[in-house]
Amino acid sequence: MESFFRTLRMLRIGIVLGCVLLMTQSTRADGRVTVCDATALEAAMAGGGLVTLECSGTIALSRTLRVTRDTVLDASGQNVTLDGGGALRLIEVSSGATLRLMGLHLANGAVMSNTNAATPSEADALGAAVLVDQAELWATNCVFRGHSVQGGLVTNADIVLRVGGLGKGGAVCLRSGVATFLGCQFQGNHAAGGPVVLFGRPSENYGAAHGGAICLERGTLRLAKTTFDSNQAIGASSPGGGYGGGGAALGGAVYAEAGEVEIDGCRFLDNQVHPGSAPRNSLAGLSAGGALYLGTNITQASMSSSEFISNVCHGGTAILGNAPSMGGAIFNASTLRCLRSVFRGNSAGETGAWSKGGAIFNSGNLVLVGSRFSGNKVHGGAGGGPAGDRGYDASGGGLFSEGEARVEASAFVSNTAAGGDGDWIPGHVFSKGGSGYGGGIYAGGFLEVQNSVFTGNLAVGGTAYWDGSFHPGTGFGGGINAVRGPFRGVHLTFANNLASAGVDAEGNLSTEGTAGGAAISASGTSMTLLNSIVAETSAAGGCYGAFTTSKSNLSADGSCDFGRNGGWDRTDPRLGALNDPGNAMPFIPLLDGSPAIDAGDATECLATDQRGVPRPFGARCDLGAYEWNGPLPANALEMERAPNGNLSCHFVGLISAVGVLESSSDLKDWAFEASVVTDARGWWNTNVVPDLKVKFFRVRLSN
């Protein structure tokens, strides 16, 4: 059903684009550019309509192209770059006009705002590639590369009003209207705020950077099969010797303030936010959304089949006070529905103050379905400073939520929440380490999780030594840390998660200090856990706290006290190893004979398991996220399309089996794709880049 609606939506976009093209052809004279220079391009665009570029080369612009009529620039089949030379904005689209770009490269636009502005708005710098105001922009198969905006400075006799302007949308700024990007790339763009002098106050309104690649002030933003790579939002730092607070950095790739946002099949790679520092008597700037920032006035946001990889939200530093970092990949204050997406290797913090959400920070309403969080990290800033501050806390290695969050059929694998280290430098004021809360998820509000796996996640406190003693922070909830509530978990599997107070002198996780809930820490009201498995046996215990409602749960140790409510304590659930087929959804199977099979409370059974297998397979549903439907088959090949469009191949066979993966379009001629060697579990995985042909796949074993 989701794919049907996505196809329908893309069909709608195609129809609208077609209508724009037909309208321009029938009402405007067509233009042709046969020589790639600015004069020929301006002449062809003068009347609007369809402008076809029939040359390849770089067009160096000496002034901004102003679009006042509906215009199509079509460079399909050519290699054309519009280049601003680092000196000007490339294109402005005026009120009521529609611009469609096809197959163009847009490079090196730059907007440096007024350094002697009378009002803050005059000091703002907007959209170095394209500025859209009460208009529409459609871009297909375009590249936006190396654009930059830099906020200016408002000067006044009163030094308190000497503030920096905003940098908004390094490549594109949509002030109002509609912008649609299909198959585009945004590479190496950045937005920077102007210098700030505000007597010690950090600011989101002065010296801030909003959207390293795109800034949406108001309107509709649609992104489909578009990549954002190495874009940055950089908040302004206070001048050396000054008194100003640092500027905020919001949305390393995309900042969306008001309106609607649709994202489908996109990739966000290595985008970053850097808040402004403040060297003297001041506070550092805030940072939020290493890749994507969704503000409170976004009325609707949807995302599907997208990837967020290695994005970073850096924390701000200052003499008077460090600033927090929120959301290594996404900051969400809106209503966001996210389907079948991957969050891998994103991070928040390490510098600055407290840090929240290694992948996602949510203060709005969030729904996650069929999504994977792996290797994300949130790290509190280090302690110290004039007051001897303790290390800062870190919460939610995968997800931090203080709003409402619902998670379904997802996996949290090897995420970390690590408190910042204390200060034990001789001559400083000694301080203890910060705390780590919720290696997988931290929830300070409503959280519901269904049919999901938590494995290899870690909540660990920061480390500090003085006077020959260890002074760590605390670590709670390796898988989930739920406080306040309500919390409701149904058919969850926890395995091999950890909670620790810190790292000892030998670099090992310490058994000293306070830690609890390797799987889950529940310390609020209305805590419910149903039909779930806690397979932890660490020193911190699988559970910390108590559940107000508990039915048919199983624990490998006695910390959860499930037996009091008709569940099982100190019982081996007989789980298989993590089945992790690359970008597809990881799961942990039940082994044949597991006591979790047919042990679920029938009144609380969900209709399917994490993989979509119907429940129950037997007399009753099983505990955990996996419904046992027979032993995993031997010599079986499974193919699944990953979010990036590749095919994820998973083969189950004999241990140490050797063979080849082959493909055929006619079942007669077979071509080599990859060598197959199964591991100690009898498993083998790889990814295949598909072509346009219909193909069959097989594994041919040689032993």
Side-chain angles (χ1 to χ4, degrees):
M1 186 61 70
E2 287 291 340
S3 62
F4 168 77
F5 283 116
R6 183 162 65 251
T7 301
L8 184 61
R9 183 164 63 247
M10 295 310 296
L11 179 60
R12 180 188 68 191
I13 292 173
I15 291 172
V16 174
L17 287 173
C19 290
V20 171
L21 180 58
L22 288 173
M23 176 190 65
T24 55
Q25 286 179 319
S26 61
T27 60
R28 308 292 185 196
D30 291 346
R32 296 170 58 225
V33 178
T34 57
V35 178
C36 279
D37 64 34
T39 301
L41 178 60
E42 289 179 3
M45 291 179 61
L50 173 62
V51 177
T52 304
L53 290 101
E54 299 177 353
C55 58
S56 292
T58 297
I59 300 177
L61 300 179
S62 59
R63 58 186 177 186
T64 299
L65 302 173
R66 305 188 189 279
V67 177
T68 59
R69 301 178 178 181
D70 293 346
T71 302
V72 177
L73 286 181
D74 186 358
S76 300
Q78 304 293 337
N79 185 3
V80 180
T81 299
L82 303 184
D83 196 314
L88 50 77
R89 175 183 297 125
L90 273 59
I91 301 173
E92 291 182 10
V93 189
S94 300
S95 176
T98 296
L99 172 64
R100 184 186 181 194
L101 305 175
M102 302 174 63
L104 273 170
H105 288 231
L106 298 92
N108 304 320
V111 176
M112 175 74 73
S113 192
N114 193 344
T115 57
N116 191 28
T119 64
S121 62
E122 293 179 14
D124 294 346
L126 315 172
V130 185
L131 175 63
V132 182
D133 194 358
Q134 300 182 55
E136 295 191 24
L137 171 65
W138 303 76
T140 305
N141 299 327
C142 292
V143 176
F144 297 80
R145 173 174 45 82
H147 302 285
S148 63
V149 294
Q150 169 79 59
L153 181 67
V154 180
T155 57
N156 189 287
D158 183 354
I159 192 173
V160 176
L161 295 181
R162 192 172 298 172
V163 296
L166 303 179
K168 308 183 80 169
V172 177
C173 182
L174 177 62
R175 306 217 70 176
S176 63
V178 177
T180 301
F181 299 90
L182 174 61
C184 294
Q185 299 178 49
F186 288 81
Q187 301 172 344
N189 306 288
H190 79 267
V196 181
V197 182
L198 271 178
F199 275 125
R201 295 192 301 258
S203 176
E204 295 180 47
N205 299 314
Y206 303 119
H210 293 177
I214 296 176
C215 175
L216 167 66
E217 289 189 348
R218 184 176 70 256
T220 298
L221 176 63
R222 303 189 187 106
L223 305 171
K225 301 186 184 306
T226 291
T227 298
F228 296 84
D229 186 356
S230 302
N231 304 284
Q232 298 186 61
I234 305 169
S237 295
S238 181
Y243 292 84
L250 310 176
V254 177
Y255 172 94
E257 183 175 334
E260 298 183 1
V261 176
E262 297 179 16
I263 301 173
D264 179 45
C266 294
R267 306 186 76 208
F268 294 79
L269 315 173
D270 297 303
N271 303 286
Q272 299 186 28
V273 289
H274 298 267
S277 61
R280 176 180 169 190
N281 299 333
S282 304
L283 299 173
L286 302 175
S287 58
L292 173 63
Y293 180 99
L294 298 170
T296 55
N297 292 318
I298 295 296
T299 56
Q300 180 178 338
S302 62
M303 179 189 306
S304 61
S305 303
S306 294
E307 292 182 313
F308 291 79
I309 299 173
S310 300
N311 302 285
V312 182
C313 180
H314 296 277
T317 58
I319 296 297
L320 194 61
N322 295 344
S325 52
M326 298 171 285
I330 298 176
F331 175 96
N332 176 57
S334 69
T335 297
L336 171 62
R337 180 174 174 82
C338 175
L339 308 178
R340 301 179 305 277
S341 293
V342 173
F343 300 85
R344 185 171 69 245
N346 304 287
S347 63
E350 196 153 359
T351 57
W354 46 262
S355 301
K356 299 181 177 182
I360 298 179
F361 174 100
N362 173 58
S363 61
N365 192 314
L366 174 66
V367 175
L368 290 167
V369 180
S371 294
R372 170 190 176 131
F373 293 74
S374 60
N376 303 290
K377 184 176 183 179
V378 59
H379 198 303
D389 295 330
R390 62 188 289 269
Y392 290 97
D393 296 342
S395 304
L399 165 65
F400 173 96
S401 179
E402 61 186 20
E404 294 190 5
R406 293 167 176 83
V407 180
E408 180 180 342
S410 295
F412 290 78
V413 181
S414 301
N415 304 286
T416 301
D421 291 341
D423 189 349
W424 62 94
I425 299 175
H428 287 204
V429 179
F430 294 147
S431 61
K432 67 179 295 185
S435 297
Y437 298 115
I441 298 177
Y442 174 96
F446 174 84
L447 173 66
E448 181 176 58
V449 188
Q450 299 181 352
N451 273 335
S452 294
V453 166
F454 295 80
T455 183
N457 301 290
L458 170 66
V460 59
T463 297
Y465 293 89
W466 68 87
D467 297 333
S469 300
F470 182 44
H471 301 270
T474 59
F476 285 96
I480 296 176
N481 186 15
V483 300
R484 289 190 290 276
F487 165 74
R488 179 179 171 85
V490 186
H491 285 295
L492 307 184
T493 299
F494 297 90
N496 302 315
N497 303 287
L498 289 172
S500 172
V503 178
D504 63 22
E506 285 72 41
N508 301 312
L509 292 177
S510 174
T511 57
E512 300 180 44
T514 304
I520 183 167
S521 173
S523 57
T525 59
S526 187
M527 298 285 153
T528 300
L529 190 65
L530 308 169
N531 290 347
S532 294
I533 297 172
V534 176
E536 323 298 356
T537 57
S538 70
C543 298
Y544 180 88
F547 298 98
T548 52
T549 303
S550 172
K551 291 183 182 180
S552 298
N553 299 304
L554 183 151
S555 173
D557 69 7
S559 63
C560 301
D561 199 19
F562 290 150
R564 185 179 58 175
N565 298 295
W568 299 267
D569 294 313
R570 299 181 179 87
T571 301
D572 181 0
R574 286 185 51 80
L575 300 180
L578 176 70
N579 187 319
D580 188 355
N583 281 329
M585 184 59 58
F587 62 88
I588 298 178
L590 298 175
L591 298 180
D592 190 15
S594 167
I597 296 173
D598 293 348
D601 185 313
T603 64
E604 304 294 348
C605 288
L606 299 175
T608 61
D609 76 351
Q610 180 194 14
R611 303 164 297 160
V613 172
R615 296 181 190 267
F617 178 77
R620 292 192 297 174
C621 65
D622 303 339
L623 305 185
Y626 183 94
E627 182 74 8
W628 187 87
N629 55 346
L632 289 177
N635 292 340
L637 177 64
E638 296 180 355
M639 309 291 289
E640 182 178 3
R641 188 170 296 279
N644 63 4
N646 291 345
L647 293 174
S648 180
C649 308
H650 177 60
F651 176 72
V652 180
L654 298 176
I655 295 173
S656 300
V658 177
V660 293
L661 174 70
E662 298 176 328
S663 65
S664 173
S665 59
D666 58 8
L667 295 177
K668 295 180 180 179
D669 298 319
W670 293 88
F672 172 83
E673 292 282 352
S675 297
V676 175
V677 179
T678 61
D679 60 18
R681 302 165 297 178
W683 296 355
W684 173 82
N685 304 297
T686 194
N687 290 313
V688 174
V689 178
D691 55 28
L692 297 179
K693 297 180 180 179
V694 175
K695 280 190 175 182
F696 302 91
F697 291 86
R698 73 179 183 185
V699 169
R700 185 165 54 85
L701 298 177
S702 56
N703 64 346

